[in-house]
Amino acid sequence: MTWNTEYDGNENGKSDWKETAEIAKELGFEWGGDWPGLRDYSHLQLDTDLSMHELQRKTNELK
């Protein structure tokens, strides 16, 4: 991993950080790179109304 937010490892003309953020946002995550002011490019979070117990149960059901 690199902290260079402009790095394009697959040379497709798009920053790897931005590609990752786009995919995560399609899945419902919030990306710290979109925050106003202090941006946290390595931050992804998923807000949900499920408890940790419910999330663990659902994850186990997928296995």
Side-chain angles (χ1 to χ4, degrees), residues 19-38:
E19 284 183 287
T20 301
E22 284 177 11
I23 293 167
K25 289 192 291 186
E26 287 174 9
L27 295 171
F29 284 81
E30 179 181 343
W31 181 45
D34 288 335
W35 294 347
L38 181 61

Side-chain angles (χ1 to χ4, degrees), residues 1 3-7 9 13-14 19-20 26-27 34-35 39-40 44-45 47 49 54 56:
M1 177 177 182
W3 291 105
N4 178 351
T5 58
E6 298 304 315
Y7 180 74
K14 198 176 226 183
E19 284 183 287
T20 301
E26 287 174 9
L27 295 171
D34 288 335
W35 294 347
R39 294 198 170 123
D40 185 355
L44 292 168
Q45 72 183 39
D47 291 329
D49 59 351
E54 291 169 318
Q56 288 172 334

Side-chain angles (χ1 to χ4, degrees), residues 50-62:
L50 298 174
S51 69
M52 286 303 295
H53 177 73
E54 291 169 318
L55 284 171
Q56 288 172 334
R57 184 174 44 80
K58 288 183 179 289
T59 299
N60 288 334
E61 290 172 2
L62 295 173

